[in-house]
Amino acid sequence: MREDICSIPVNEVFEPKDGCPFCRMRDMLEDRMATYITGAAMMEPDVRIETNRLGFCSEHFNQILARGSRLSVALILESLLAEVKGQVFPEGKAVPKKIAAAVHSREDNCFICANIKDSMRHLLESTLALWQNEQEFRDLYAAQQYICLTHYGLVMEAAGKMPKKNFVPFEAETTRLAKAYLEELSGDVTHFCRMFDYRNAGGDWGNSKDAIERAMTWLTSRAPTAQQDSGEKNR
């Protein structure tokens, strides 16, 4: 069942040509997994054992809270808290190193992150196979708006397994998509800064008004969630 949840047609992910395609891929996986956990899988013993063992990071706690009913999230938390109690506060003499290790394990692990990582690896393999075998997909790949920094590193790591004759043009295209957008962002952020010079008062902001948010998105693969008052944004 979980394999079906994480099965995404790669071509469909690349069709929009808006933002980073690998961010879209991850977002689709996260949406499906968070919905699955708070729905059909909530009472599946094997899934509950894994969610209790790994827990969730802050990002994915927010996602399951947004998608599930409050009862479904509370049921997940009920068994998770019991697991944490037994792991972090065991009976008997406290052993600082073991306690610290148990807490760090909770900080470092997440059920959804683990599943997304595994699914992304398979989808990247499919992406590379399509690129190597289908000219139509190569054209679709080249037409993307950009590849974010996080996924640029992930894609390049996966591409290291490609035959050299395929890797060279793939690396060149992937780097173009990441680097060209970086240069565009750099120009927009610099222009934004310069618009605060009194000599540019009344000048054209161009595409720089949302440069801060776009730069953060490219750097982290996540759009910033903090909101500024529109009247404060460009002061």
Side-chain angles (χ1 to χ4, degrees):
M1 177 64 178
R2 199 183 308 172
E3 287 73 17
D4 294 336
I5 293 296
C6 295
S7 296
I8 293 176
V10 173
N11 276 300
E12 290 184 12
V13 177
F14 281 78
E15 285 172 1
K17 305 184 190 68
D18 179 25
C20 173
F22 299 102
C23 287
R24 292 196 297 274
M25 188 179 288
R26 179 210 54 212
D27 291 347
M28 291 175 70
L29 288 169
E30 286 181 330
D31 179 65
R32 293 183 181 194
M33 185 59 66
T35 301
Y36 170 64
I37 289 169
T38 55
M42 185 178 61
M43 301 309 293
E44 292 182 15
D46 59 330
V47 175
R48 185 62 70 86
I49 289 171
E50 285 298 291
T51 58
N52 289 343
R53 181 176 70 86
L54 297 172
F56 302 95
C57 66
S58 176
E59 176 72 30
H60 292 130
F61 261 132
N62 282 323
Q63 292 191 18
I64 64 173
L65 185 60
R67 289 162 179 76
S69 69
R70 292 185 65 79
L71 174 59
S72 64
V73 176
L75 289 169
I76 292 170
L77 287 170
E78 182 180 35
S79 59
L80 176 56
L81 290 170
E83 181 86 5
V84 170
K85 180 181 178 181
Q87 184 182 20
V88 179
F89 304 99
E91 296 292 334
K93 184 179 179 180
V95 181
K97 286 186 177 180
K98 288 186 177 181
I99 293 173
V103 174
H104 291 325
S105 176
R106 286 290 160 187
E107 294 172 338
D108 296 339
N109 289 295
C110 168
F111 176 81
I112 294 181
C113 285
N115 279 273
I116 297 300
K117 183 178 180 179
D118 187 56
S119 298
M120 284 292 290
R121 186 176 70 251
H122 292 304
L123 288 170
L124 279 172
E125 290 172 357
S126 298
T127 300
L128 297 179
L130 281 170
W131 191 93
Q132 292 177 90
N133 296 306
E134 296 184 13
Q135 180 60 49
E136 185 177 354
F137 183 77
R138 286 196 289 274
D139 294 339
L140 189 61
Y141 189 93
Q144 297 304 302
Q145 184 181 12
Y146 66 83
I147 293 176
C148 75
L149 180 63
T150 299
H151 290 121
Y152 174 66
L154 196 66
V155 173
M156 293 303 293
E157 182 180 12
K161 300 176 183 178
M162 296 171 73
K164 186 175 180 179
K165 67 175 183 178
N166 294 334
F167 172 79
V168 172
F170 179 80
E171 182 277 329
E173 187 59 58
T174 303
T175 297
R176 180 189 68 81
L177 288 168
K179 189 176 180 181
Y181 194 69
L182 166 61
E183 292 173 348
E184 178 184 333
L185 283 172
S186 297
D188 288 343
V189 169
T190 296
H191 185 68
F192 181 91
C193 294
R194 288 176 178 170
M195 286 303 294
F196 287 83
D197 189 317
Y198 73 93
R199 291 169 295 185
N200 294 321
D204 183 7
W205 286 85
N207 294 322
S208 72
K209 287 188 175 181
D210 64 347
I212 292 171
E213 290 78 9
R214 287 188 290 114
M216 290 180 178
T217 301
W218 183 82
L219 287 165
T220 68
S221 85
R222 301 275 187 186
T225 57
Q227 298 292 321
Q228 291 178 307
D229 184 273
S230 58
E232 300 286 330
K233 185 174 291 186
N234 296 318
R235 280 200 331 189

